Amino acid sequence: RGGGGFGRRDDRGPPPMVQNSRFAAAVQCDEDYVPAEVRNQRDRERNEQEGGGRFGQQDGRFGQEGGGRFDRQDGGDDRGFGGGGRYNDRGRGGGRFGDSRGGEMEIPTGPRWKQDDAAPAGNFPPLGQSSSKVASILAPKKPREESVLPPVEAPLTLPGEDEAAARARLEKKKREEEEKKAAERKAAEEAAAAKAAAEKEAAERAAKAAALESKLLDDFASGTTLGEDLQQWCADQGSVLPSVEKLIFHLLSTKQEKGPDPECAWAESENYGAALVSLVEDDAEAQMQVLWALQKYCDSISFPKVDDEYVVQAMFRSMYKYDLAEPGAFDLWKEDESEQNSRGKMKAVIQTMDWFNWLEEDDDSEEEEYEEDEE
């Protein structure tokens, strides 16, 4: 039972290892084989129990004691065909391959790389632990440690310089660096102080301007000075005079608390008209401020109607009448989409549609008259 007869391979050996990947190789290495030594021992015990021959006899195949297959006086092999080879080329007691093991073939103990002479035969690895070779295959590769070079100190002295001079030079350099840092800190502190002082001054100036603006608005709307005198007063204020929008909005908010005046008698020349015309003449931006003031004032009183007409439309017509807004200023106002002037803008546009239609017709008639004059 040791080796197979007539060239047959033993089927007890380990299956071929297909190492097509690192994982497959690791799994193959970790399979639980029955050690070859244990299987060989089992085969020997089985042969001893059977009596040695293929059919239990202790002699050759045909009963001859120690006879070979063809009556030769050679030893029997493990199958009962005699100890010699097929053509009497084996020595007495020779195995299948001519050795002295009497036909017992040693089964391989596993992959060659796994056979370790130093390891005790038949030892199994502890339960739950993989062999060291499997662990070494699956273990991640350790990063290569970079060698750390020892710090290199710069030489203290320069060529032609003794140690005392070198120390003095280094101390001077260190002192200069400290002085530079101190100067930078001082400059930063001074800049911060100057910025704080400037912000404080600006805040005080803004507070004074706000107080002055409030006083100027009250003086303008008080009515104590009108006509040409008011016009001169506005000129005397110069750059501190509030904007036209603020002047008109403050005037309407304080003088027309009981109800709006659609005809805007306040815009007549002998009242506030002369002063306002001097501020908006030939200035489209200032004329737009007049319309913005009317828009925001009407929004504050919820866009009322007087005599079945919207107040904002009547006021726009009066601004055109008193030369406080030209047709181009009306168009710029309508096209304006700025956020700061959006309060009440949509309602004002809707409620002045008739006015803008009239402006377009008036422009067309003026163009026709101009063409007729040229002809």
Side-chain angles (χ1 to χ4, degrees):
R1 271 189 167 79
F6 300 104
R8 290 183 301 171
R9 297 185 178 178
D10 186 79
D11 57 352
R12 297 177 181 268
M17 181 183 302
V18 181
Q19 297 195 16
N20 55 356
S21 66
R22 183 181 176 190
F23 179 75
V27 172
Q28 187 68 28
C29 293
D30 204 29
E31 289 182 354
D32 294 331
Y33 289 107
V34 177
E37 291 80 2
V38 176
R39 288 182 289 175
N40 291 336
Q41 179 64 27
R42 292 175 181 173
D43 290 342
R44 284 193 293 269
E45 292 176 356
R46 191 178 297 111
N47 290 338
E48 291 177 359
Q49 293 175 1
E50 292 177 356
R54 183 177 181 182
F55 302 99
Q57 296 93 349
Q58 296 183 1
D59 55 359
R61 182 177 182 181
F62 299 102
Q64 296 89 351
E65 183 176 356
R69 182 178 183 183
F70 299 101
D71 224 3
R72 292 185 294 270
Q73 297 296 324
D74 48 1
D77 59 6
D78 60 339
R79 300 173 299 159
F81 290 95
R86 181 176 182 181
Y87 301 102
N88 202 20
D89 53 352
R90 303 176 187 172
R92 183 173 181 82
R96 180 182 179 185
F97 301 100
D99 53 14
S100 59
R101 292 177 291 179
E104 295 178 1
M105 184 181 70
E106 294 292 335
I107 301 175
T109 58
R112 293 183 179 179
W113 60 270
K114 194 173 180 181
Q115 297 179 11
D116 190 358
D117 296 338
N123 287 350
F124 291 91
L127 185 62
Q129 298 182 7
S130 60
S131 62
S132 59
K133 293 184 179 180
V134 175
S136 63
I137 294 175
L138 297 179
K141 297 181 179 180
K142 295 182 179 180
R144 182 179 298 178
E145 297 182 358
E146 298 182 358
S147 58
V148 180
L149 299 178
V152 179
E153 297 182 357
L156 181 62
T157 60
L158 298 176
E161 185 182 39
D162 57 7
E163 186 175 353
R167 293 187 180 280
R169 174 176 53 80
L170 294 177
E171 290 177 359
K172 180 181 178 182
K173 183 179 179 180
K174 183 178 179 181
R175 185 169 57 256
E176 291 176 352
E177 292 178 354
E178 292 176 353
E179 292 175 354
K180 181 179 179 181
K181 292 180 180 179
E184 291 176 354
R185 285 195 299 270
K186 183 178 180 181
E189 292 174 357
E190 292 177 353
K195 182 179 179 181
E199 291 176 353
K200 182 179 179 181
E201 183 180 356
E204 293 176 353
R205 190 165 54 247
K208 291 180 180 179
L212 178 61
E213 182 181 73
S214 178
K215 182 177 183 304
L216 292 175
L217 290 173
D218 290 339
D219 291 345
F220 177 82
S222 64
T224 56
T225 305
L226 298 172
E228 295 181 353
D229 294 337
L230 182 60
Q231 178 181 351
Q232 185 60 43
W233 179 86
C234 291
D236 294 341
Q237 305 308 314
S239 60
V240 298
L241 185 69
S243 65
V244 175
E245 178 183 351
K246 291 181 179 180
L247 291 172
I248 295 178
F249 183 81
H250 186 73
L251 172 65
L252 297 176
S253 300
T254 55
K255 293 297 183 180
Q256 298 190 10
E257 295 178 353
K258 296 180 180 180
D261 178 15
E263 301 300 327
C264 298
W266 52 268
E268 295 178 355
S269 180
E270 61 271 17
N271 292 326
Y272 297 92
L276 292 173
V277 168
S278 66
L279 296 175
V280 303
E281 191 174 10
D282 299 328
D283 188 347
E285 177 71 22
Q287 294 176 22
M288 289 176 66
Q289 290 186 22
V290 174
L291 302 178
W292 285 331
L294 299 180
Q295 164 195 326
K296 294 174 183 178
Y297 167 71
C298 291
D299 179 73
S300 66
I301 60 175
S302 303
F303 289 98
K305 270 187 176 183
V306 175
D307 296 334
D308 201 27
E309 184 182 20
Y310 290 111
V311 172
V312 63
Q313 180 167 270
M315 285 186 165
F316 272 30
R317 184 175 61 248
S318 297
M319 295 304 101
Y320 180 78
K321 174 183 177 181
Y322 293 117
D323 296 328
L324 293 179
E326 299 176 356
F330 284 104
D331 293 336
L332 292 175
W333 172 85
K334 188 176 182 180
E335 296 172 358
D336 176 61
E337 296 180 355
S338 59
E339 183 66 25
Q340 63 270 22
N341 298 311
S342 61
R343 190 183 71 184
K345 176 66 179 291
M346 186 59 65
K347 279 191 175 182
V349 171
I350 294 173
Q351 294 180 7
T352 56
M353 290 179 62
D354 294 341
W355 165 246
F356 280 97
N357 291 336
W358 181 87
L359 277 180
E360 292 179 1
E361 294 175 359
D362 186 61
D363 289 342
D364 294 339
S365 62
E366 288 182 357
E367 289 179 0
E368 291 176 359
E369 292 177 0
Y370 178 74
E371 292 176 356
E372 291 176 358
D373 293 340
E374 285 185 347
E375 293 177 355

